[in-house]
Amino acid sequence: IGKMLAAGAAFLAASAGAKEVATYNRDNFKWDLEQRLERETWRIDMQVKRFELFREDVRDLVNLTVDRMDTYHLVGALFLSFCVVLFVEGRVHKAPPF
């Protein structure tokens, strides 16, 4: 009986120690997991913002080209009207007063 009692006590001590080993550092592990998730979320948000900046740069370049083409169209239309007047009427109207 003495051996069984000693074996039972050893088993209880081992199971209590196993519980301690299993729960050791659990809080830190959960905190690390939360931090890792927060870091990944932050990284993805920054990546999305980065590509939004790329899109904005492309949009600005395209708008610059469109604005320039609007100016070219205006100058081209004025030049075309001058050429049409010159070829149809054969002369240019009076000079403007300025």
Side-chain angles (χ1 to χ4, degrees), residues 13-14 16 27 30 32 36 48 51 58 73-74 80 89 95 98:
D27 292 334
K30 288 171 77 174
D32 286 346
R36 189 177 307 126
V48 167
F51 280 99
V58 169
H73 285 128
L74 176 66
L80 181 64
E89 295 180 8
F98 55 85

Side-chain angles (χ1 to χ4, degrees), residues 66-82:
V66 169
D67 291 343
R68 188 178 297 157
M69 288 306 296
D70 288 343
T71 304
Y72 289 155
H73 285 128
L74 176 66
V75 171
L78 291 173
F79 184 70
L80 181 64
S81 66
F82 176 76

Side-chain angles (χ1 to χ4, degrees), residues 76-93:
L78 291 173
F79 184 70
L80 181 64
S81 66
F82 176 76
C83 289
V84 166
V85 166
L86 185 64
F87 287 135
V88 171
E89 295 180 8
R91 59 183 171 12
V92 180
H93 297 290

